[in-house]
C-alpha cells in the first residue's frame, strides 16, 4: 500500500495566505528597482521623506476605505469630497479668520457627504456603487459652483502649520497625521468591537443581523467616517498647498483603491488590513515619484496605477474564491 504524503500544516498555511504578502514583496522589489535605476536621485533622505509626505492624504483615505471595502461596499465619492471639503474649509477660514472654524467646516461637510451616502444605502437599500457614483458627480459640481471655479488661498499660519506645512520633532506634520489615523484605524479594526462588527457584516450581513449586530448603523457609521477621512485629506491638501481648488483629489480614487486592494483588503468584504493599506499607499507614492524621476508623464502614471489595480483585483477575487 502506497503511503500518501501530505504537506505540513505550516506549508499549507503559507500557500493559502501568500497573497497577504504581495504588497510587501512588491514594495521591496520596486524600491530596489528605483534604487538601482535612479541611484542617488532616489536614495536620499529628501526623496524618501517626500514620498511619505505625498502619501499622507492617500494613507488617511485608504484607512477609511479599508472599512468600506471590508463591508463589501465601495465609496467612489471620496475624490470629490476632498475638493468640496478643502474649499469649504478655505472659505470658512476666510470668513471667520479662525483656523479651527475652517477645519471644523471642512470636516463637517465631508462627514455630511458620507452620512448622505450611508442614508441612501441603508434606508433605501441602494447599491453603494450607484449611490456614491451619483454623489461623486453631485459633490464635484458643488465644489465647482461654490467658488465659480476659482481657487481659494489659505494664508492663516496656524492652519498651514497644523494641516500641512509644519514639522514636529523634525518630521513633517503630514506624516504625523497619517501615522495617527493609521494607528486609530488599526486599533478600531483589530482591537474594538466595532471593527469586529464591520468584518462580520462584510462576511455575511444576514448572519450578522441575526447575531444582534445593527447592520444599518454599522454601514451608516462607516460611510460617515469615510467622508470625514476624505475631508481631512482635503484639509491637509489645503494646508500643504496654502490654498484649495476644485481639482483637488481628482486622481486620488485610483491611488486609494490600488493601495487598499493591493494591501490585502478583499473587494467582496470580510477581510481588511490597515497595515497593508498603509504600505500600499507608500507603494503607490513611491511608484508615482519614481516614475516622475524617470520622466514619465501623469497619463503614463495613471496607466501604471490602472494595471496595478487590475492585478490586485484579480488576486483579491481569486483569493476569495479559493477560501
Amino acid at each position: 500500500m502506497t503511503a500518501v504524503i501530505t504537506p505540513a500544516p505550516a506549508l499549507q498555511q503559507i500557500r493559502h495566505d501568500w497573497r497577504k504578502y504581495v504588497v510587501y514583496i512588491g514594495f521591496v522589489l520596486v524600491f530596489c528597482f528605483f534604487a538601482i535605476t535612479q541611484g542617488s536621485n532616489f536614495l536620499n533622505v529628501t526623496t524618501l521623506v517626500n514620498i511619505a509626505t505625498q502619501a499622507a492624504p492617500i494613507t488617511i483615505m485608504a484607512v477609511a476605505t479599508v472599512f468600506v471595502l471590508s463591508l463589501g461596499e465601495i465609496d467612489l465619492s471620496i475624490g470629490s469630497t476632498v475638493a468640496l471639503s478643502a474649499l469649504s474649509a478655505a472659505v470658512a477660514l476666510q470668513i471667520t479668520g479662525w483656523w479651527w472654524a475652517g477645519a471644523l467646516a471642512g470636516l463637517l461637510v465631508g462627514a455630511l457627504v458620507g452620512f448622505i451616502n450611508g442614508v441612501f444605502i441603508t434606508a433605501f437599500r441602494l447599491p453603494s456603487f450607484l449611490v456614491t457614483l451619483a454623489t461623486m458627480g453631485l459633490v464635484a459640481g458643488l465644489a465647482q459652483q461654490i467658488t465659480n471655479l476659482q481657487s481659494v488661498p489659505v494664508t492663516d499660519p496656524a492652519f498651514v502649520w497644523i494641516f500641512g506645512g509644519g514639522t514636529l520633532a523634525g518630521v513633517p506634520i503630514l506624516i504625523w497625521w497619517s501615522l495617527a489615523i493609521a494607528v486609530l484605524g488599526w486599533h478600531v479594526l483589530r482591537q474594538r468591537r466595532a471593527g469586529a462588527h464591520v468584518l462580520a457584516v462584510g462576511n455575511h450581513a444576514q448572519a450578522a443581523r441575526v447575531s444582534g449586530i445593527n447592520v444599518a448603523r454599522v454601514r451608516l457609521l462607516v460611510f460617515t467616517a469615510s467622508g470625514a477621512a476624505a475631508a481631512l485629506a482635503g484639509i491637509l491638501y489645503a494646508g500643504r498647498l496654502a490654498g484649495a481648488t476644485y481639482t483637488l483629489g481628482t486622481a486620488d480614487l485610483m491611488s486609494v483603491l490600488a493601495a487598499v486592494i493591493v494591501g490585502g483588503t478583499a473587494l467582496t468584504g470580510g477581510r481588511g488590513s490597515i497595515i497593508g493599506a498603509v504600505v500600499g499607499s507608500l507603494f503607490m507614492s513611491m511608484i508615482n515619484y519614481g516614475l516622475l524621476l524617470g520622466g514619465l508623464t501623469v497619463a503614463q502614471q495613471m496607466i501604471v496605477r490602472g494595471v496595478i489595480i487590475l492585478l490586485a483585483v484579480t488576486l483579491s477575487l481569486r483569493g476569495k474564491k479559493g477560501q
Side-chain angles (χ1 to χ4, degrees):
M1 185 174 181
T2 304
V4 177
I5 301 176
T6 59
L11 182 58
Q12 288 181 322
Q13 186 68 22
I14 291 174
R15 289 177 177 175
H16 185 266
D17 293 342
W18 70 270
R19 291 180 182 85
K20 295 180 180 179
Y21 307 104
V22 167
V23 66
Y24 309 105
I25 297 170
F27 184 91
V28 172
L29 291 177
V30 172
F31 182 90
C32 292
F33 172 78
F34 285 133
I36 293 171
T37 58
Q38 303 296 334
S40 59
N41 290 333
F42 181 80
L43 278 180
N44 61 77
V45 175
T46 301
T47 296
L48 298 179
V49 170
N50 284 339
I51 289 173
T53 301
Q54 291 184 3
I58 301 299
T59 298
I60 290 169
M61 287 185 282
V63 169
T65 301
V66 168
F67 286 84
V68 175
L69 292 186
S70 294
L71 277 177
E73 308 287 353
I74 194 168
D75 187 355
L76 301 178
S77 65
I78 54 176
S80 299
T81 304
V82 166
L84 181 61
S85 299
L87 286 167
S88 299
V91 170
L93 182 60
Q94 281 191 340
I95 294 173
T96 64
W98 299 329
W99 68 266
W100 57 267
L104 182 61
L107 288 174
L108 288 177
V109 166
L112 179 61
V113 173
F115 179 80
I116 291 172
N117 285 334
V119 167
F120 275 93
I121 291 165
T122 57
F124 298 100
R125 300 177 182 268
L126 298 175
S128 58
F129 178 86
L130 296 179
V131 171
T132 58
L133 181 64
T135 54
M136 177 178 67
L138 173 63
V139 172
L142 288 173
Q144 297 176 33
Q145 182 68 32
I146 62 173
T147 59
N148 196 26
L149 303 181
Q150 300 298 311
S151 61
V152 181
V154 174
T155 57
D156 184 83
F159 187 98
V160 171
W161 190 91
I162 295 171
F163 298 108
T167 59
L168 184 62
V171 179
I173 203 74
L174 285 172
I175 297 178
W176 287 113
W177 274 108
S178 61
L179 284 174
I181 297 300
V183 171
L184 176 63
W186 178 85
H187 178 71
V188 172
L189 187 65
R190 295 301 174 192
Q191 304 295 321
R192 307 300 295 180
R193 183 180 299 175
H197 287 179
V198 169
L199 296 175
V201 172
N203 191 52
H204 199 297
Q206 186 58 37
R209 187 176 289 107
V210 171
S211 66
I213 297 175
N214 190 328
V215 174
R217 183 174 63 183
V218 170
R219 287 177 174 150
L220 187 62
L221 289 175
V222 167
F223 275 95
T224 302
S226 178
L232 178 57
I235 293 170
L236 294 179
Y237 276 130
R240 184 185 180 194
L241 301 174
T245 179
Y246 71 94
T247 58
L248 288 177
T250 53
D252 285 351
L253 179 61
M254 284 184 65
S255 294
V256 171
L257 290 178
V260 174
I261 298 169
V262 80
T265 296
L267 272 172
T268 47
R271 187 180 77 238
S273 173
I274 298 294
I275 296 176
V278 172
V279 176
S281 65
L282 291 171
F283 178 61
M284 296 305 301
S285 180
M286 180 172 62
I287 288 176
N288 291 339
Y289 208 92
L291 294 178
L292 190 62
L293 289 176
L296 272 71
T297 65
V298 174
Q300 291 168 328
Q301 293 176 39
M302 291 180 66
I303 293 172
V304 173
R305 284 198 296 268
V307 171
I308 291 173
I309 292 175
L310 183 61
L311 293 175
V313 169
T314 302
L315 290 174
S316 175
L317 294 180
R318 288 189 63 189
K320 186 71 175 179
K321 290 176 182 178
Q323 291 178 356

